[in-house]
Amino acid sequence: MSEQHPGEKSYDPGDTTLTFVNRPDDINPYASELRAKMSCGHAVTPESLTRWCRALLGKGQYTFKCPAPTVGTEQCGAEWPYTEVRRLAALTAAEMLDFEMEMERLAAAGFCDFKACPGCKTYVEREALDNLCFQCTICKESNKPTKQFCWQCLKPWKGRAPRSDRCDNDDCSDKDLELLKGCGTITLSQVAGVGPVPSIRACPTCGLKVEHDKTGCKNILCPRCKVEFCFVCLKLTRQCLQTSSYFIACSSGIAPRQTAMPIWNRR
């Protein structure tokens, strides 16, 4: 790395492992630092690449895709290997640790429902997704009071079980469901005849909270289960397209706000 101001990164112009280009950064066109070419052909600076990939992690995405525009409003979408991101983002040792821990957590969350037990702090997986009453086998062996806790509020279980909505602790509530019920609205400007829709939806297949970027068609690909669905009517894309198309209103109208979280039966 060459000399840089605090908080800024720049490439070493003598680094022969990189291909430098004399054109604007495709992520941040106002960047003035030396630009290098990614495998997809688009130009980046280490700072813009780091910030973009951090933003993707913040949205729950652990794969890194190029956002550079190609034709119209469409993005390049090429997936960058982490090894390439690590090198061209010039990640520090601390940044690499942060990135890799978050990528591991998100990847694991994509295939299982896990949390840290409030008693022993061990990460445990919940297999019965329709039952919030969870019994930690490690705490059970040591007879800790948290051996049976609520997966939702993480407090010792109260009330009858099994139960899928809440336990009897006073402040137990589904924060994800509250978010779906209380989020604002957005307008999909490129979809004709569709009024405001909730800004956050739960994927009808796996229940992951997702947002639409308000560009392109009304469909969205869930980053966890990889199932495509309509953000407007909440039907799977193949079902929605039987009576509609990508850029017009759905025949069944706008689906109301969700009042229950879909349960992913992935086994």
Side-chain angles (χ1 to χ4, degrees):
M1 295 289 291
S2 62
E3 184 179 351
Q4 54 192 262
H5 298 290
E8 295 181 354
K9 299 178 180 180
S10 60
Y11 294 124
D12 178 356
D15 188 344
T16 58
T17 67
L18 301 177
T19 301
F20 298 116
V21 293
N22 187 23
R23 52 188 171 84
D25 182 336
D26 286 303
I27 299 178
N28 176 16
Y30 301 103
S32 58
E33 295 84 8
L34 189 61
R35 280 83 67 195
K37 187 168 69 173
M38 299 292 289
S39 55
C40 62
H42 289 107
V44 299
T45 59
E47 194 68 36
S48 69
L49 182 58
T50 300
R51 290 181 179 180
W52 171 249
C53 292
R54 277 197 185 281
L56 291 177
L57 290 173
K59 293 180 179 180
Q61 300 178 35
Y62 57 90
T63 56
F64 306 112
K65 295 185 178 181
C66 178
T70 52
V71 179
T73 58
E74 291 188 15
Q75 295 182 339
C76 168
E79 186 172 326
W80 298 318
Y82 171 64
T83 52
E84 181 181 14
V85 168
R86 184 177 60 194
R87 185 167 63 95
L88 276 88
L91 296 182
T92 64
E95 286 174 331
M96 281 190 281
L97 180 62
D98 287 345
F99 268 57
E100 290 163 17
M101 288 182 64
E102 185 65 5
M103 288 166 61
E104 182 179 355
R105 185 188 71 79
L106 291 171
F111 297 98
C112 62
D113 190 15
F114 74 100
K115 289 184 178 179
C117 169
C120 64
K121 309 302 180 185
T122 302
Y123 275 90
V124 289
E125 179 184 0
R126 179 175 67 139
E127 295 186 1
L129 301 184
D130 56 351
N131 182 16
L132 290 172
C133 181
F134 184 86
Q135 182 164 282
C136 177
T137 55
I138 297 176
C139 287
K140 183 180 179 181
E141 292 176 358
S142 56
N143 201 32
K144 291 185 177 181
T146 50
K147 60 187 176 187
Q148 197 174 55
F149 66 90
C150 175
W151 196 261
Q152 190 159 265
C153 68
L154 298 179
K155 293 183 177 180
W157 183 266
K158 283 186 180 181
R160 62 177 177 82
R163 195 170 170 182
S164 62
D165 56 343
R166 56 167 295 164
C167 69
D168 285 348
N169 283 299
D170 292 338
D171 58 350
C172 183
S173 63
D174 190 332
K175 300 298 188 294
D176 288 341
L177 200 54
E178 290 179 2
L179 181 61
L180 294 178
K181 292 177 180 179
C183 67
T185 60
I186 59 171
T187 299
L188 304 181
S189 59
Q190 298 182 41
V191 183
V194 174
V197 299
S199 61
I200 302 175
R201 297 289 207 178
C203 170
T205 298
C206 71
L208 180 72
K209 301 189 302 298
V210 292
E211 298 180 64
H212 199 291
D213 65 6
K214 296 184 283 188
T215 64
C217 75
K218 61 189 179 182
N219 294 283
I220 187 169
L221 182 68
C222 176
R224 177 163 69 179
C225 67
K226 308 303 181 185
V227 173
E228 187 178 17
F229 69 95
C230 176
F231 202 79
V232 176
C233 70
L234 294 182
K235 293 179 181 178
L236 298 185
T237 295
R238 64 176 181 273
Q239 296 172 334
C240 177
L241 293 181
Q242 291 176 2
T243 55
S244 180
S245 72
Y246 287 100
F247 292 96
I248 66 171
C250 308
S251 60
S252 57
I254 300 173
R257 291 179 182 272
Q258 291 155 291
T259 58
M261 295 298 293
I263 295 176
W264 189 14
N265 182 19
R266 60 190 187 279
R267 296 185 184 278

